[in-house]
């Protein structure tokens, strides 16, 4: 049930849309391979959609959820039942609203347990804990976003970060409600962490404790030990923590990693906190221990060192299949842009210098019904010009074009995408890239301009991490590969909602394969209708979709 509820944080009360009266929303628990039906009943004041982040939804774009891409909004007073088809995912994924900035309050974890008769690739933990990192806005975030977009202003920063919905001890009017995780000495816990924040990559550390990373984005990784993490919006991380320290209270603290220029100070500097509290009889400290291993806001070396440790498990029980016969290569620049005159500049963002424009009818419906005029199939495989993308760029590189331009792939193609960060308007930062409907292998990444001759020689084709979200590094590049074997319409976008609102996204359409089992399913009967649909003269219904 989606409905508004009053919440008080940072000494102020506001009403916001939540699911089942909970912030964060309820955790969904399933087993690998399950199918789950979720009836989304909208009793809120505006339309909303839900996305099942990291769930590949084989052949079922209809329940993927992004507004204007695979559906129109579920209007107030109506409902829509999503069919969530789990396949190879195992570990932690999540769900969130995918319309406007509603996901700031509408989100939650999905725990995918091993299928019956199987177990974890590590000793069974004694317990588990879910930590949801989020953001708090004291005002109505959607109203603020719409006002800023209309005025051409920068989009709003959060007033605080949260851990399981609470800002914690270091924020005003918050210490009485700080989240506490209770543990027993000597036990090992599976910690499931997700970053549901709107616009910030976050560092997190637990005072006095190391953790062992064992999974990310619904897949296992080779275990490695660390005393902090850096997690991008959209990512999940699974880790083992053994409660082996002197029984006491220990802070869990998260703060922003700011990959922008060091002179830029306008961002949320809050330290969100929770408390790891040992059970038992002991004298509680006056205040919990603070994690000395928590990196500073601009610690790029800490980010790189952590990110580069991820490797797929790649054993007999968890085989991987890295595409080696690439048939489509795409080189995509990610830029923050400006438009307008000096007296009235507005912000935009782009892939290959194209800022996405939402169509009046969702792309999936237009594609399935062969409706013309709502998108074009000419998203380019490379930018319009090549130059020193990471240098000091001239003003004539700052403007982007606008369009609803998609990339069409044949079923079974093996695809390589290189994302190249740019320094347009001196605004190079990390961009967490998320692909709906797929996981991909991150085979390489580096700093500077991608070198098509030298850099592929550094690719890891043996055990690259299998993810659904990866940060394209500030003034650098990242290469991912996947096989286009999930027919349908799939969004590719930056998971910083500031950039998504400005147009840093495109759509991949994967055509049907040769059989019914390799083809997009027919739509459910109760898809939310687009307001404009009744006035559209539809083209002849063409369900073959193989041309």
């Amino acid at each position: 049930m989606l409905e508004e509820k009053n919440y008080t944080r940072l000494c102020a009360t506001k009403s916001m849309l939540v699911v089942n009266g909970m912030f964060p929303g309820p955790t969904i628990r399933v087993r690998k391979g399950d199918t789950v039906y979720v009836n989304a009943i909208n009793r809120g004041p505006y339309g909303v959609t839900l996305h099942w982040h990291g769930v590949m939804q084989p052949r079922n774009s209809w329940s993927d959820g992004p507004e204007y891409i695979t559906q129109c909004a579920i209007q107030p007073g109506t409902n829509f039942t999503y069919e969530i088809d789990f396949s190879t995912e195992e570990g932690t994924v999540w769900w969130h609203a995918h319309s406007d900035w509603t996901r700031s309050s509408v989100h939650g974890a999905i725990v995918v347990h091993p299928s019956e008769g199987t177990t974890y690739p590590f000793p069974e933990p004694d317990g588990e804990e879910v930590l949801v990192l989020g953001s708090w806005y004291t005002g109505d975030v959607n109203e603020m976003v719409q006002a800023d977009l209309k005025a051409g202003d920068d989009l709003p920063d959060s007033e605080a970060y949260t851990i399981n919905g609470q800002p914690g001890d270091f924020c005003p009017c918050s210490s009485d409600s700080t989240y506490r995780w209770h543990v027993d000495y000597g036990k090992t816990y599976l910690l499931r962490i997700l970053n549901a924040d709107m616009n910030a990559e976050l560092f997190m550390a637990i005072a006095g404790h190391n953790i062992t990373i064992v999974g990310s984005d619904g897949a296992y990784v080779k275990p490695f030990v660390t005393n902090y993490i850096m997690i991008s919006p959209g990512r999940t991380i699974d880790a083992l923590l053994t409660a082996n320290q002197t029984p006491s209270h220990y802070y869990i603290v998260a703060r922003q990693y700011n990959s922008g220029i060091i002179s830029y100070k306008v961002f949320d500097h809050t330290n969100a906190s929770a408390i790891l509290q040992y059970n038992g009889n002991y004298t509680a400290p006056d205040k919990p221990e603070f994690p000395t291993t928590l990196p500073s806001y601009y610690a790029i070396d800490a980010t790189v060192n952590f990110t580069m440790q991820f490797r797929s498990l790649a054993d007999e029980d968890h085989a991987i299949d890295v595409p080696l016969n690439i048939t489509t290569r795409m080189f995509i620049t990610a830029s923050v842009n400006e438009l307008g005159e000096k007296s009235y500049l507005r912000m935009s963002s782009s892939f290959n210098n194209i800022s996405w424009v939402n169509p009046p009818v969702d792309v999936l419906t237009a594609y399935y019904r062969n409706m013309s005029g709502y998108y074009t199939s000419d998203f380019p495989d490379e930018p319009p010009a090549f130059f020193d993308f990471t240098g000091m760029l001239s003003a004539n590189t700052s403007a982007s074009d606008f369009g609803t331009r998609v990339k069409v792939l044949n079923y079974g193609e093996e695809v390589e995408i290189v994302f190249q960060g740019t320094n347009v308007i001196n605004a190079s930062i990390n961009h967490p890239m998320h692909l709906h409907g797929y996981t991909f292998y991150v085979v390489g990444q580096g700093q500077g301009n991608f070198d098509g001759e030298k850099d592929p020689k550094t690719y890891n084709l043996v055990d690259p991490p299998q993810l659904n979200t990866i940060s394209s590094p500030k003034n650098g590049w990242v290469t991912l590969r996947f096989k286009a074997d999930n027919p349908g319409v799939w969004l590719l976008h930056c998971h910083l909602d500031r950039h998504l609102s400005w147009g840093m996204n495109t759509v991949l359409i994967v055509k049907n394969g040769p059989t019914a089992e390799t083809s997009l399913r027919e739509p459910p009967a109760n898809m939310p209708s687009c307001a404009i649909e009744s006035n559209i003269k539809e083209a002849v219904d063409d369900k073959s979709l193989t041309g």
Side-chain angles (χ1 to χ4, degrees):
M1 179 84 67
L2 291 135
E3 56 187 348
E4 290 197 325
K5 182 179 177 181
N6 287 339
Y7 284 84
T8 301
R9 301 287 189 274
L10 307 182
C11 316
T13 299
K14 73 169 185 176
S15 182
M16 65 185 192
L17 194 68
V18 295
V19 171
N20 292 356
M22 300 170 64
F23 172 69
T27 296
I28 298 172
R29 297 181 181 273
V30 301
R31 288 197 177 272
K32 181 179 179 180
D34 282 352
T35 296
V36 175
Y37 295 89
V38 175
N39 184 15
I41 304 168
N42 186 6
R43 292 187 176 172
Y46 49 83
V48 68
T49 69
L50 298 178
H51 169 55
W52 317 96
H53 186 118
V55 183
M56 286 179 280
Q57 296 281 53
R59 304 174 44 234
N60 188 21
S61 293
W62 304 104
S63 282
D64 189 48
E67 188 178 17
Y68 303 111
I69 309 302
T70 64
Q71 69 170 98
C72 289
I74 305 166
Q75 294 300 321
T78 67
N79 70 291
F80 175 63
T81 298
Y82 290 94
E83 178 183 326
I84 312 164
D85 300 311
F86 295 89
S87 53
T88 62
E89 305 87 2
E90 187 173 336
T92 308
V93 289
W94 64 300
W95 60 268
H96 60 83
H98 214 304
S99 46
D100 299 317
W101 281 31
T102 305
R103 79 170 178 87
S104 64
S105 60
V106 175
H107 58 255
I110 303 175
V111 173
V112 186
H113 293 288
S115 56
E116 292 284 357
T118 67
T119 188
Y120 305 107
F122 44 81
E124 186 88 17
D126 299 301
E128 70 173 49
E129 183 75 7
V130 175
L131 293 183
V132 179
L133 309 181
S135 47
W136 184 262
Y137 300 83
T138 55
D140 185 312
V141 65
N142 282 330
E143 288 184 359
M144 291 190 293
V145 169
Q146 291 306 313
D148 288 342
L149 288 172
K150 184 177 181 179
D153 294 336
D154 194 5
L155 299 181
D157 290 310
S158 57
E159 276 79 35
Y161 299 117
T162 59
I163 299 178
N164 284 355
Q166 298 293 342
D169 286 1
F170 305 110
C171 295
C173 305
S174 300
S175 59
D176 290 342
S177 57
T178 299
Y179 183 78
R180 292 175 183 262
W181 173 22
H182 295 268
V183 299
D184 292 324
Y185 180 84
K187 290 187 176 181
T188 297
Y189 297 85
L190 178 54
L191 179 58
R192 302 176 183 275
I193 309 162
L194 76 87
N195 186 352
D197 183 83
M198 297 300 291
N199 289 295
E201 296 182 303
L202 296 171
F203 289 120
M204 193 195 86
I206 303 174
H209 294 75
N210 292 334
I211 58 176
T212 301
I213 307 299
V214 294
S216 185
D217 285 10
Y220 296 116
V221 300
K222 287 182 169 66
F224 64 93
V225 178
T226 183
N227 53 25
Y228 70 93
I229 67 169
M230 196 290 290
I231 185 168
S232 302
R235 287 286 299 275
T236 65
I237 291 176
D238 295 340
L240 297 174
L241 178 144
T242 298
N244 57 6
Q245 299 301 299
T246 301
S248 187
H249 298 180
Y250 298 87
Y251 271 129
I252 306 166
V253 181
R255 68 161 59 123
Q256 181 169 343
Y257 164 55
N258 181 21
S259 60
I261 56 177
I262 293 179
S263 61
Y264 183 76
K265 305 294 184 183
V266 184
F267 62 91
D268 186 343
H269 286 72
T270 59
N271 289 317
S273 64
I275 297 172
L276 186 153
Q277 179 174 327
Y278 280 71
N279 296 319
N281 294 320
Y282 57 87
T283 301
D286 292 335
K287 61 180 179 179
E289 180 181 334
F290 191 89
T292 58
T293 58
L294 183 68
S296 65
Y297 299 110
Y298 299 98
I300 186 171
D301 288 344
T303 296
V304 173
N305 292 340
F306 178 75
T307 302
M308 296 302 289
Q309 294 185 73
F310 283 83
R311 297 284 186 273
S312 285
L313 200 53
D315 60 18
E316 183 177 350
D317 295 325
H318 305 89
I320 63 173
D321 185 17
V322 183
L324 300 177
N325 301 308
I326 303 301
T327 55
T328 293
R329 298 182 188 274
M330 302 179 70
F331 183 87
I332 300 178
T333 54
S335 304
V336 177
N337 307 92
E338 293 177 329
L339 64 148
E341 302 298 328
K342 287 184 178 181
S343 59
Y344 186 58
L345 287 174
R346 303 169 68 91
M347 302 301 296
S348 65
S349 62
S350 65
F351 282 157
N352 280 350
N353 213 47
I354 300 166
S355 296
W356 176 267
V357 176
N358 286 324
V361 172
D362 64 272
V363 176
L364 177 59
T365 295
Y367 169 62
Y368 186 81
R369 297 183 181 179
N370 199 24
M371 298 160 59
S372 62
Y374 295 98
Y375 66 86
T376 58
S377 303
D378 59 349
F379 182 83
D381 288 343
E382 59 185 35
F386 283 79
F387 46 88
D388 181 5
F389 297 112
T390 62
M392 295 302 294
L393 305 180
S394 62
N396 61 11
T397 64
S398 65
S400 62
D401 294 329
F402 290 82
T404 310
R405 300 169 66 176
V406 311
K407 172 68 178 179
V408 178
L409 297 168
N410 291 318
Y411 183 89
E413 287 201 60
E414 297 193 353
V415 183
E416 177 179 288
I417 299 177
V418 176
F419 283 107
Q420 173 69 61
T422 76
N423 199 33
V424 172
I425 66 171
N426 198 25
S428 181
I429 65 170
N430 284 9
H431 296 287
M433 301 302 187
H434 173 50
L435 175 59
H436 291 221
Y438 286 88
T439 58
F440 46 73
Y441 296 100
V442 182
V443 298
Q445 55 188 304
Q447 290 297 305
N449 295 309
F450 178 75
D451 187 319
E453 294 294 327
K454 295 179 180 179
D455 288 329
K457 297 176 182 178
T458 69
Y459 285 175
N460 173 14
L461 303 177
V462 177
D463 60 354
Q466 188 173 9
L467 306 173
N468 60 62
T469 306
I470 184 65
S471 272
S472 175
K474 168 188 173 71
N475 283 331
W477 57 271
V478 65
T479 301
L480 56 89
R481 290 184 175 185
F482 65 95
K483 186 173 183 178
D485 56 3
N486 189 11
V489 171
W490 308 108
L491 180 62
L492 174 63
H493 66 99
C494 177
H495 219 280
L496 302 180
D497 275 48
R498 171 180 276 106
H499 295 167
L500 179 61
S501 296
W502 288 336
M504 192 178 285
N505 59 286
T506 187
V507 165
L508 305 183
I509 294 179
V510 178
K511 292 201 252 182
N512 283 348
T515 66
E517 291 73 23
T518 58
S519 298
L520 177 66
R521 291 166 47 177
E522 293 189 358
N526 62 335
M527 285 295 296
S529 62
C530 302
I532 196 172
E533 269 193 309
S534 61
N535 298 320
I536 295 173
K537 182 179 181 181
E538 296 175 358
V540 175
D541 191 358
D542 179 3
K543 293 187 175 66
S544 65
L545 304 177
T546 56

